């Protein structure tokens, strides 16, 4: 053994959501745990999450909120360490939080509360965290121990946990290390793409919708496979907002999405009632009761928006309703990993134990969190996966 080799029971690469949770659980069991990270601070993504308030979990969690080539894989971990377990920990630390729409739980004050809680638990469990640590090489000795060469020396461990996350937001220290380690040890990786990411628009749409920047509308956004009822947001770059981020994880290049800008309204009936009551007013004036003013000509065209209601036939009214309630937009692409909240694809679940996250190919090697091919919806689901998968590995490493 080289003289500067540091021996530990458990070595975790990635000091963020999944890695810290695993470290806490393993440390509580009396294991000697070290966590390495190339960033200069732990939990950078926790700090930037949920607009700085960390949407740390959701009251309503099931496997149907996750995307994976093996949709059953996440069930075991999510049921063994649930949102209620994490909420109990948050309560123990008296962190103030609140519930927003669709069961999303956010800190009242700051995402720092969640990170500080995890770091306090790490301290209690005697976990040591080493930052600014560049991983140079990972190998396995004949006796099965892993040897990790790094800028801080050589680490030797019986259990190696990869918690290095996905590719989203390279500026926040994202790297492909986890996928490379998986490949090195013979694992199959499902191709990765950016998820929960804004859409960019075709040049023509970009120009016609540019002036809508800043407008948010409660919508139902769908494709042939799924639909989401949440806000959409027009930006100077394209389309964003929760419903758009959600559908982006289910979008394939070249495909159109359908936007219902008035999901709760019988629009034909609405226009006909206004037509009977005020036949002289313009369509845009009537629609301004239910939609932002600037949006109406942008979707319908100025000529239609300016039509007096009395000039609209039944067929025309139905066509207008279709335009507003089945608005077809073909995105040009997504903003990519630069702004994506998550990475779809990753380490193939079929080669991992759903109970422990251990590799089925190499004993002692574990993959947890976002590096695994389990991607949650927007709404606290990704952190819950990180907590649950980290907790499961932490029981056995
Ligand atoms: C802007 C934004 C907002 C988000 N908001 C939410 C939210 O509110 N709720 C929610 O549920 N999810 C949210 N997410 C998603 C969530 O942050 C991730 O799914 C979650 O952090 C994944 O946890 P992880 O521990 O697997 O990976 P990460 O949190 O990405 O952590 C990986 C760690 O590994 C380290 N690392 C990477 N490569 C190397 C390397 N080569 N050597 C050493 N260390 C390395 C990184 O520095 C990092 O500390 C958000 C994501 C983003 C980008």
């Amino acid at each position: 053994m080289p003289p500067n080799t540091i021996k530990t029971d458990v070595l975790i690469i990635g000091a963020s959501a999944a890695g810290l949770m695993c470290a806490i659980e393993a440390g509580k069991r009396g294991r000697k745990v070290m966590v390495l990270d190339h960033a200069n601070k732990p939990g950078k993504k926790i700090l930037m999450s949920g607009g700085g308030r960390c949407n740390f979990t959701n009251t309503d969690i099931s496997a149907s909120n996750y995307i994976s080539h093996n949709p059953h894989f996440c069930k075991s971990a999510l049921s063994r360490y649930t949102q209620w377990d994490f909420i109990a920990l948050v309560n123990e630390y008296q962190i103030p939080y609140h519930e927003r729409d669709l069961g999303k739980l956010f800190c009242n004050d700051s995402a720092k509360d969640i990170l500080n809680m995890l770091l306090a638990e790490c301290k209690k469990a005697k976990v040591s965290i080493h930052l600014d640590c560049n991983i140079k090489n990972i190998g396995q000795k004949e006796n099965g121990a892993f040897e990790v060469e790094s800028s801080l020396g050589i680490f030797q461990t019986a259990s190696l946990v990869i918690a290095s996350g996905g590719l989203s937001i390279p500026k926040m220290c994202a790297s492909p290390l986890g996928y490379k380690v998986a490949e090195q040890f013979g694992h199959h990786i499902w191709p990765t793409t950016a998820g929960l990411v804004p859409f960019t628009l075709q040049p023509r749409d970009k120009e016609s919708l540019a002036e809508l920047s800043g407008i948010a509308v409660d919508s139902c956004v769908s494709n042939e496979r799924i639909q989401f009822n949440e806000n959409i947001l027009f930006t100077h770059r394209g389309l964003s907002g929760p419903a758009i981020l959600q559908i982006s994880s289910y979008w394939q290049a070249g495909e159109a999405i359908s936007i219902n800008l008035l999901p709760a309204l019988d629009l034909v009936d609405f226009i006909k009632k206004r037509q009977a009551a005020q036949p002289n007013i313009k369509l845009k004036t009537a629609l301004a009761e239910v939609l932002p003013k600037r949006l109406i000509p942008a979707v319908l065209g100025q000529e239609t928006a300016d039509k007096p209601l009395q000039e609209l036939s039944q067929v025309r009214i139905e066509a207008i309703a279709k335009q507003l309630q089945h608005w077809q937009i073909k995105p040009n692409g997504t903003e990519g990993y630069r702004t994506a909240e998550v990475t779809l694809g990753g380490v193939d679940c079929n080669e991992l134990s759903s109970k422990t996250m251990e590799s089925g190919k190499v004993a002692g090697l574990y993959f947890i969190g976002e590096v695994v091919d389990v991607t949650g919806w927007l709404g606290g689901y990704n952190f819950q996966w990180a907590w649950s998968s980290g907790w499961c590995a932490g029981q056995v490493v």
Side-chain angles (χ1 to χ4, degrees):
M1 191 162 66
N4 59 344
T5 300
I6 305 151
K7 277 191 114 180
T8 184
D9 298 331
V10 181
L11 189 69
I12 300 172
I13 300 182
S16 189
L20 294 177
M21 178 55 89
C22 178
I24 293 162
E25 289 303 311
K28 281 200 234 166
R29 291 172 37 239
R31 306 286 281 158
K32 182 178 176 190
V33 183
M34 291 184 171
V35 188
L36 309 182
D37 202 300
H38 65 171
N40 60 355
K41 276 191 234 160
K44 283 194 176 191
K45 278 206 188 146
I46 298 176
L47 293 177
M48 78 185 300
S49 68
R53 291 218 158 84
C54 187
N55 177 194
F56 55 82
T57 193
N58 195 294
T59 56
D60 184 16
I61 289 196
S62 78
S64 63
N65 304 115
Y66 292 87
I67 303 163
S68 170
H69 289 85
N70 178 347
H72 304 292
F73 179 81
C74 62
K75 289 180 183 168
S76 167
L78 292 172
S79 68
R80 291 180 68 219
Y81 188 80
T82 69
Q83 67 271 44
W84 309 113
D85 294 316
F86 193 78
I87 293 167
L89 184 61
V90 169
N91 286 336
E92 199 184 307
Y93 276 75
Q94 299 181 346
I95 295 173
Y97 63 89
H98 61 279
E99 183 171 337
R100 294 193 193 163
D101 63 322
L102 306 171
K104 299 168 189 158
L105 299 187
F106 283 79
C107 295
N108 287 359
D109 301 327
S110 165
K112 262 190 213 156
D113 290 347
I114 297 294
L115 181 59
N116 288 342
M117 172 186 84
L118 296 169
L119 294 175
E121 286 287 294
C122 279
K123 202 168 168 195
K124 268 206 278 184
K126 298 192 171 52
V127 170
S128 65
I129 300 173
H130 304 266
L131 302 169
D132 289 315
C133 177
N134 291 313
I135 310 297
K136 293 178 182 162
N137 191 41
I138 297 180
Q140 196 178 21
K141 294 167 73 78
E142 272 173 19
N143 65 1
F146 297 92
E147 211 165 64
V148 176
E149 268 178 62
S150 80
S151 55
L152 300 182
I154 298 173
F155 293 85
Q156 210 180 86
T157 183
S159 294
L160 177 64
V161 184
I162 305 299
S164 55
L167 298 171
S168 43
I169 324 257
K171 269 193 189 160
M172 285 292 135
C173 299
S175 90
L177 178 83
Y179 308 117
K180 287 189 175 157
V181 175
E183 249 165 16
Q184 178 191 337
F185 286 100
H187 276 266
H188 171 247
I189 312 292
W190 288 106
T192 55
T193 48
L196 299 181
V197 62
F199 283 133
T200 55
L201 297 172
Q202 310 278 354
R204 207 191 44 201
D205 289 333
K206 191 174 176 198
E207 203 187 307
S208 64
L209 301 178
E211 67 193 47
L212 303 182
S213 178
I215 290 182
V217 190
D218 255 338
S219 304
C220 175
V221 180
S222 60
N223 61 15
E224 279 164 15
R225 299 175 288 287
I226 199 147
Q227 64 175 50
F228 292 98
N229 284 287
E230 284 184 76
N231 255 330
I232 65 166
L233 174 70
F234 295 87
T235 73
H236 61 282
R237 285 197 293 267
L239 283 175
S240 187
I244 294 294
L245 298 185
Q246 300 278 34
I247 202 108
S248 75
S249 295
Y250 290 86
W251 180 73
Q252 281 157 12
E255 188 181 58
I257 54 164
S258 177
I259 303 179
N260 182 346
L261 294 162
L262 289 161
L265 189 70
D266 182 339
L267 186 53
V268 171
D269 182 62
F270 173 85
I271 296 175
K272 287 182 81 175
K273 280 191 177 135
R274 290 298 176 285
Q275 193 179 42
Q278 298 170 283
N280 296 325
I281 65 164
K282 290 179 176 172
L283 175 63
K284 68 180 182 191
T285 312
L287 289 176
E289 276 181 51
V290 288
L291 281 173
K293 258 189 197 162
R294 277 188 287 155
L295 183 65
I296 301 158
V299 179
L300 296 177
Q302 194 65 54
E303 200 200 322
T304 305
D306 282 338
K307 282 254 180 257
L309 292 180
Q310 62 193 353
E311 286 182 26
L312 301 177
S313 64
Q314 171 74 19
V315 172
R316 190 79 191 267
I317 291 172
E318 281 168 13
I320 289 164
K322 194 170 173 205
Q323 248 173 307
L324 291 168
Q325 296 188 307
H326 298 273
W327 187 30
Q328 301 292 306
I329 289 269
K330 202 183 252 190
N332 199 23
T334 73
E335 289 185 6
Y337 293 121
R338 190 178 60 79
T339 60
E341 285 199 12
V342 286
T343 302
L344 292 150
V347 179
D348 192 336
C349 301
N350 289 340
E351 298 173 350
L352 302 177
S353 154
S354 61
K355 195 168 173 214
T356 64
M357 304 294 134
E358 188 175 16
S359 159
K361 292 181 175 281
V362 182
L365 179 63
Y366 298 78
F367 294 90
I368 56 174
E370 202 179 312
V371 72
V372 178
D373 174 35
V374 173
T375 307
W377 287 7
L378 186 86
Y381 299 100
N382 285 295
F383 277 134
Q384 188 58 45
W385 170 246
W387 316 136
S388 297
S389 58
W391 185 91
C392 285
Q395 307 309 307
V396 294
V397 285

